[in-house]
């Protein structure tokens, strides 16, 4: 199912209004860049990755966002706060464009923060949101997993939740040899194209033990029942409390659906995919794309001619 692109800016009224963004990871794959800078704050063109995530939530009508961070993630809190001195300086210069860009993060939604005291896994991070979420259904958006802004995956998942209740996960078919990098879902089809019922989940299975090629990607719409399940879920793979294990428990009751997504997704926690994300989103920009694409064409031509290879060898 390719969730269609849309230019409709109407924000629907939904039963789900809260989003949780786990952002407490250490970002070890990007060291040393993430030694003092949260991985979620690495720039994707001219915005930090996590801002794209919050923009996605806001576009889907989620106006209450809780970020689960760690003690080394103060920069995230600052980014979504007002910056009085900077705003005052830009206003004095009459720089309305940059002033709006600085103010936008704080205006996207009601932003709240809580710290995950110990790095005990995604399931534990979600459990940290219990008091804030209460007994309401809520969305979970992983901070380094970006969905292209033109896609409507989250809105589709919220629609499924409104119609069927229970929990909803986003699924993407991946090459079988890559399934060990993801949570994997066992599924049965429904009468609705692109919508499946999830009958089981397993965290990072070997290819030969995977029940399918459907990987769980970083978007969830969860029933509040998940908190009770997480509270009784023992540490699993890696010694962490896995959200996948809790969803496996819920799936046995037939209350978990999966939306199959074939659109554009970017894993900014992976170095190569991070670079591809920056290039693709820069090319899509009206203010950057034309000039940048021309440069890329020249660069690729130079590389193919052998000049780039020689330059790399001489630099080594």
């Amino acid at each position: 199912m390719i969730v269609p692109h849309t230019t409709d800016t109407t924000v629907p009224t939904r039963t789900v209004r809260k989003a949780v963004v786990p952002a407490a990871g250490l970002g070890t794959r990007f060291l040393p860049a993430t030694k003092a800078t949260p991985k979620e704050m690495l720039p994707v063109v001219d915005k930090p990755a996590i801002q794209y995530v919050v923009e996605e939530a806001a576009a889907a009508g989620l106006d209450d966002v809780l970020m689960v961070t760690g003690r080394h993630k103060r920069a995230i809190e600052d980014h979504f706060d007002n910056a009085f001195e900077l705003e005052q300086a830009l206003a004095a210069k009459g720089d309305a464009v940059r002033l709006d860009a600085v103010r936008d993060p704080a205006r996207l939604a009601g932003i709240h923060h809580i710290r995950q005291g110990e790095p005990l896994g995604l399931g534990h991070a979600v459990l940290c949101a219990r008091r804030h979420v209460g007994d309401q259904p809520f969305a979970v958006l992983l901070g380094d997993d970006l969905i292209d802004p033109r896609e409507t995956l989250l809105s589709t998942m919220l629609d499924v939740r409104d119609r069927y209740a229970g929990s909803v996960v986003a699924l993407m078919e991946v090459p079988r040899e890559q399934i060990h990098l993801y949570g994997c879902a066992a599924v049965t089809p429904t009468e609705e194209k692109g919508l499946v019922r999830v009958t089981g989940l397993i965290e990072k299975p070997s290819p030969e033990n995977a029940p399918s090629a459907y990987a769980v990607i970083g978007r969830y719409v969860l029933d509040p029942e998940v908190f009770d399940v997480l509270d009784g879920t023992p540490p699993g793979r890696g010694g962490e409390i896995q959200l996948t294990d809790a969803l496996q428990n819920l799936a046995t009751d037939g209350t978990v659906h999966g939306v199959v997504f074939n659109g554009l997704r970017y894993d900014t926690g992976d170095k190569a995919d991070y670079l591809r994300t920056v290039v693709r989103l820069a090319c899509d920009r009206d203010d950057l794309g034309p000039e940048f694409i021309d440069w890329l064409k020249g660069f690729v031509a130079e590389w193919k001619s052998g000049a780039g290879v020689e330059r790399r060898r001489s630099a080594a």
Side-chain angles (χ1 to χ4, degrees), residues 274-294:
Y274 171 80
L275 295 173
R276 286 189 286 266
T277 302
V278 173
V279 170
R280 184 184 289 274
L281 293 182
C283 288
D284 284 342
R285 291 266 295 260
D286 291 337
D287 59 334
L288 296 173
E291 180 181 352
F292 186 50
I293 290 170
D294 284 343

Side-chain angles (χ1 to χ4, degrees), residues 30-51:
F30 269 86
L31 288 171
T34 50
K35 179 181 177 181
T37 301
K39 64 175 181 177
E40 297 85 3
M41 289 299 294
L42 294 178
V44 178
V45 190
D46 54 3
K47 292 188 291 189
I50 198 168
Q51 184 171 332

Side-chain angles (χ1 to χ4, degrees), residues 127-146:
L127 192 56
C128 289
R130 185 172 198 168
R131 181 172 295 182
H132 182 84
V133 170
D135 60 356
Q136 302 175 46
F138 62 104
V140 174
L141 297 84
L142 300 193
D144 56 5
D145 208 341
L146 306 191

Side-chain angles (χ1 to χ4, degrees), residues 93-233:
K93 293 180 180 180
D95 193 340
V97 173
R98 289 186 175 86
L99 180 59
D100 277 342
V102 167
R103 287 176 170 170
D104 279 347
R107 299 188 296 200
L108 288 170
I111 308 291
H112 310 271
H113 304 271
I114 190 171
R115 289 188 174 182
Q116 183 183 16
E118 299 178 75
L120 297 178
L122 176 58
H124 180 261
V126 171
L127 192 56
C128 289
R130 185 172 198 168
R131 181 172 295 182
H132 182 84
V133 170
D135 60 356
Q136 302 175 46
F138 62 104
V140 174
L141 297 84
L142 300 193
D144 56 5
D145 208 341
L146 306 191
I147 303 298
D148 191 279
R150 294 163 295 188
E151 306 285 1
T152 56
L153 170 63
L154 184 57
S155 292
T156 300
M157 296 175 67
L158 294 170
D159 288 341
V160 171
R161 160 67 202 193
D162 284 346
R163 287 187 284 123
Y164 296 104
S167 296
V168 187
V169 298
L171 302 176
M172 176 173 276
E173 194 166 9
V174 301
R176 179 71 69 157
E177 61 271 17
Q178 295 179 13
I179 197 66
H180 70 283
L181 300 172
Y182 301 89
C184 177
V187 304
T188 58
T190 68
E191 294 182 356
E192 188 172 340
K193 184 179 180 181
L195 182 67
V196 296
R197 189 176 297 278
V198 177
T199 59
L201 293 120
I202 182 171
E203 181 68 15
K204 297 181 178 178
S206 61
E208 58 271 17
N209 292 327
S212 74
Y214 286 117
V216 181
I217 58 175
R219 297 295 180 271
Y220 309 79
V221 179
L222 301 178
D223 190 88
E225 181 186 2
V226 75
F227 290 127
D228 286 336
V229 178
L230 283 168
D231 203 27
T233 298

Side-chain angles (χ1 to χ4, degrees), residues 260-275:
V260 180
F261 179 64
N262 295 321
L264 295 173
R265 165 188 172 262
Y266 315 109
D267 178 8
T268 59
D270 175 80
K271 291 179 185 178
D273 210 16
Y274 171 80
L275 295 173

